[in-house]
Amino acid sequence: ALGGEGISYPSMDGTIFVWPGFAAVEGEIFGLCWCRMAEGVTDCRHAQDFLVPVGEVLIQGPSLDHRFSCRSGDPCLVNLTWPSGVFSVDGLLSVAPGSSCRDAGPGVVDAPGFEGGPAAGSEVFKWSVVLAEGAEARALCWCAFSPTGLGGGGNCTTSEEFVHQVGLMEIKGPSLGQRFNCEAEQP
């Protein structure tokens, strides 16, 4: 089970290791263990094959399972918490048009209904006004921001960079685009 168990692709030179996909976990320090492939003994594809501790790896990211609500027509403030021992880093927070960051498509980059698009910050994220309809909970999607692309962050311009779902947001308020007719009272 490549990747899903935290197992890297085989290294070509024994010094550089690459993991498939992305880490869908909250920030934490994980033990890093090594396995030597040996024909007829192990192919290093199962967690129990990795017996040699070689260090630690820090996954940088906010806590998961946040729950927030904002009212349509009002400013919106989100305070992300970070796990103990993991320092906060700059990022962008977006609200997906649906309940999943992975299925959001390009809409997650635009954050429709949230003025200014994704909000920047490390712990506090603010939109000056929310103009989105109340409906089912929407996914909160976080992207580690690095203008240089170094340090594990990206430039947060594609939907593929906003796949780290840190919680859900409920939009409260009336549906947008409603029309009402009022008639003057007859004497």
Side-chain angles (χ1 to χ4, degrees):
L2 190 66
E5 293 182 25
I7 298 173
S8 72
Y9 290 118
S11 173
M12 301 310 266
D13 63 4
T15 62
I16 297 173
F17 296 86
V18 177
W19 282 260
F22 63 96
V25 297
E26 71 181 27
E28 186 177 339
I29 297 173
F30 292 89
L32 195 58
C33 299
W34 182 76
C35 173
R36 180 181 174 149
M37 292 187 344
E39 192 172 327
V41 179
T42 180
D43 60 359
C44 297
R45 294 293 72 176
H46 306 284
Q48 63 267 23
D49 297 335
F50 292 79
L51 302 175
V52 181
V54 294
E56 297 176 331
V57 62
L58 170 64
I59 301 292
Q60 201 71 41
S63 297
L64 304 179
D65 300 323
H66 289 91
R67 297 273 181 180
F68 297 100
S69 66
C70 288
R71 294 191 62 77
S72 185
D74 289 342
C76 181
L77 185 71
V78 169
N79 291 300
L80 291 184
T81 59
W82 291 73
S84 177
V86 177
F87 59 92
S88 61
V89 296
D90 289 338
L92 294 179
L93 186 65
S94 188
V95 181
S99 61
S100 170
C101 296
R102 289 189 189 185
D103 303 329
V108 72
V109 177
D110 301 328
F114 288 77
E115 191 167 288
S122 60
E123 295 176 13
V124 177
F125 299 84
K126 183 177 182 179
W127 290 274
S128 58
V129 68
V130 174
L131 295 173
E133 290 190 52
E136 76 280 347
R138 297 176 184 209
L140 284 170
C141 309
W142 183 76
C143 174
F145 181 72
S146 172
T148 62
L150 300 175
N155 58 13
C156 302
T157 58
T158 67
S159 58
E160 291 80 18
E161 294 175 290
F162 283 93
V163 292
H164 194 69
Q165 187 163 335
V166 297
L168 295 171
M169 164 144 342
E170 178 185 6
I171 309 298
K172 295 184 175 183
S175 297
L176 299 176
Q178 296 185 56
R179 295 178 158 243
F180 298 94
N181 292 323
C182 298
E183 295 181 20
E185 189 174 317
Q186 299 287 333

